[in-house]
Amino acid sequence: LGAAPTVTSPAASAKFGTSLAGKAGILVVGAPGTTEGANTDCGRTYFYKRNTGTPYNFDTLVTQFACSTGAVSNLAYGTRVETDGRQSIANAVQPASTGYAEIRERDFDGTSYSANGWGVKAAALTPAFYLTPANGDEWGSDVAIYGHIALIGGRNTVNGAHT
């Protein structure tokens, strides 16, 4: 990575670096243990860009996002992150809830990349077929994205039934 990325000094309990994804000059780092206000383990994701002329130096923090669908404790936003360089996907898996995944797209809001142009493209995604997530399904337990395809896993579901 080159020089250590500069962040706003997350505590060790923030679990900064639990998940990492990088492509096309972008590095996304998950910190699912971050406290937001009174909500412990709410989570946060950090976006870095590669510095020009230094291929392995991702020390410029572009932006960061806290858990966004009702800040609650133990949401663990950023446990898994993925990026294709143009889009990113991050999960939040709260054991006592259904969990969710959120897609952000670079320049989605029309701003330039250097001015924090990562907008929410889709939030609180749910399955588009036979399954309605229930508490404990851990919908979003794993995520992947490439182009127009996003894959979102649900760890505690079997053949459309909740386990």
Side-chain angles (χ1 to χ4, degrees):
L1 290 179
T6 302
V7 296
T8 56
S9 300
S13 61
K15 301 174 188 164
F16 180 83
T18 294
S19 57
L20 300 167
K23 188 159 188 167
I26 298 296
L27 175 67
V28 183
V29 180
T34 303
T35 296
E36 302 296 332
N39 302 308
T40 58
D41 296 331
C42 188
R44 185 172 282 267
T45 56
Y46 297 85
F47 288 67
Y48 296 89
K49 71 176 182 174
R50 183 178 63 220
N51 288 336
T52 305
T54 53
Y56 304 109
N57 196 351
F58 288 84
D59 68 351
T60 302
L61 178 65
V62 175
T63 191
Q64 55 187 300
F65 299 101
C67 54
S68 61
T69 59
V72 295
S73 292
N74 303 314
L75 194 56
Y77 175 67
T79 301
R80 298 280 183 269
V81 296
E82 187 59 63
T83 188
D84 65 4
R86 172 85 177 145
Q87 300 176 107
S88 72
I89 188 168
N91 74 337
V93 180
Q94 182 187 33
S97 77
T98 60
Y100 75 92
E102 175 179 81
I103 297 175
R104 292 186 176 271
E105 186 173 37
R106 191 169 158 181
D107 299 328
F108 183 74
D109 62 0
T111 64
S112 67
Y113 165 60
S114 61
N116 180 14
W118 286 88
V120 175
K121 186 174 182 181
L125 298 170
T126 58
F129 48 96
Y130 59 81
L131 175 66
T132 301
N135 286 353
D137 278 351
E138 295 186 19
W139 172 249
S141 58
D142 207 353
V143 294
I145 193 164
Y146 186 79
H148 297 292
I149 298 172
L151 300 175
I152 304 167
R155 186 180 357 237
N156 292 330
T157 58
V158 178
N159 297 326
H162 309 292
T163 59

